[in-house]
């Protein structure tokens, strides 16, 4: 076994990228080199810390400058509707409502919220399992979630069923409701 000794190099070696670099034992260093390196390291560290803190220290705008939207007030008076009313729903079906409905089933939470905003809370007889707003909707009879209970809807004897066209492909709920009530409206 042969040993390789280089008398002019420091005995330690550094592996960098698969190549050994031997550090020369140089005693002729200038004295300012280490001080200058320390100064640059400190300066760079302080600069990076300042940038980091400046990026994290963003102030929020004062409350008086922020635009705050207030919810729209519902109308005090609702115009009287003359029946019969004819409308076309989202799937292109023409629906005729002969008289003001007394019993309403809503199959979609957004339709339930709209009905409550229109002041129809006392006419709601059925809502989906997902209806939780307004709070009064939680006490109304539930008709199912993703799969609607058609028998339950029929037993509530609604005058009108408010559905959504996205429910047409889910089970038989809306399709059956459309066959049972000519006044099934898809929004």
């Amino acid at each position: 076994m042969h040993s390789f000794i280089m008398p002019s190099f420091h005995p330690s070696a550094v592996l960098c990228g698969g190549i050994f670099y031997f550090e020369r034992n140089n005693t002729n260093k200038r004295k300012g080199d280490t001080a200058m390196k320390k100064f640059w390291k400190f300066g760079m560290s302080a600069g990076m810390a300042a940038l980091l803190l400046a990026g994290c220290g963003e102030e929020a705008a004062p409350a008086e400058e922020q635009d705050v939207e207030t919810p729209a007030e519902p109308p005090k008076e609702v115009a009287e509707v003359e029946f019969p009313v004819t409308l076309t729903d989202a799937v292109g079906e023409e629906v005729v409502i002969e008289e003001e409905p007394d019993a309403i089933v809503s199959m979609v939470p957004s339709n339930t919220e709209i009905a409550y905003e229109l002041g129809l809370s006392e006419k709601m007889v059925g809502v989906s399992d997902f209806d939780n707003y307004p709070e009064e909707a939680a006490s109304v009879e539930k008709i199912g979630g993703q799969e609607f209970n058609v028998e339950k809807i029929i037993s509530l004897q609604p005058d009108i069923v408010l559905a959504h066209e996205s429910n047409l492909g889910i089970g038989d709920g809306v399709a059956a409701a459309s066959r049972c009530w000519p006044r099934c409206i898809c929004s």
Side-chain angles (χ1 to χ4, degrees):
M1 182 161 171
H2 298 286
S3 64
F4 178 72
I5 298 174
M6 296 182 75
S8 63
F9 288 93
H10 192 272
S12 65
V14 177
L15 175 64
C16 182
I19 301 172
F20 279 101
Y21 289 97
F22 293 92
E23 184 178 322
R24 205 173 222 316
N25 191 2
N26 190 357
T27 57
N28 295 334
K29 283 188 177 179
R30 293 183 296 182
K31 293 186 180 186
D33 283 350
T34 58
M36 185 61 92
K37 286 182 182 177
K38 286 181 183 178
F39 176 76
W40 277 105
K41 285 181 183 178
F42 175 74
M44 292 299 288
S45 297
M48 292 299 284
L51 288 173
L52 180 68
L53 291 174
C56 295
E58 186 176 319
E59 288 186 30
E64 61 194 15
E65 292 180 16
Q66 292 179 351
D67 292 332
V68 178
E69 287 189 30
T70 56
E73 291 293 321
K76 303 282 189 260
E77 283 185 32
V78 178
E80 289 295 319
V81 178
E82 294 182 21
F83 289 93
V85 174
T86 304
L87 53 100
T88 304
D89 68 5
V91 293
E93 297 290 325
E94 189 172 283
V95 179
V96 178
I97 303 172
E98 299 292 335
E99 57 188 29
E100 185 173 351
D102 292 322
I104 302 171
V105 169
S106 175
M107 301 176 88
V108 183
S110 60
N111 289 341
T112 304
E113 293 175 23
I114 293 169
Y116 273 88
E117 283 295 315
L118 292 173
L120 301 173
S121 58
E122 58 276 345
K123 296 182 180 192
M124 299 299 291
V125 295
V127 296
S128 78
D129 291 347
F130 304 114
D131 283 291
N132 58 5
Y133 183 83
E135 291 179 12
E136 300 89 39
S139 62
V140 178
E141 190 75 36
K142 302 296 182 184
I143 59 165
Q146 292 292 328
E147 296 287 329
F148 296 103
N149 185 341
V150 178
E151 290 82 13
K152 176 59 110 179
I153 297 171
I154 293 170
S155 71
L156 295 173
Q157 299 178 345
D159 295 322
I160 193 167
V161 177
L162 303 175
H164 190 268
E165 68 176 320
S166 65
N167 297 118
L168 290 174
I170 301 174
D172 291 333
V174 176
S178 296
R179 288 190 301 273
C180 295
W181 300 279
R183 293 183 303 257
C184 180
I185 301 173
C186 290
S187 61

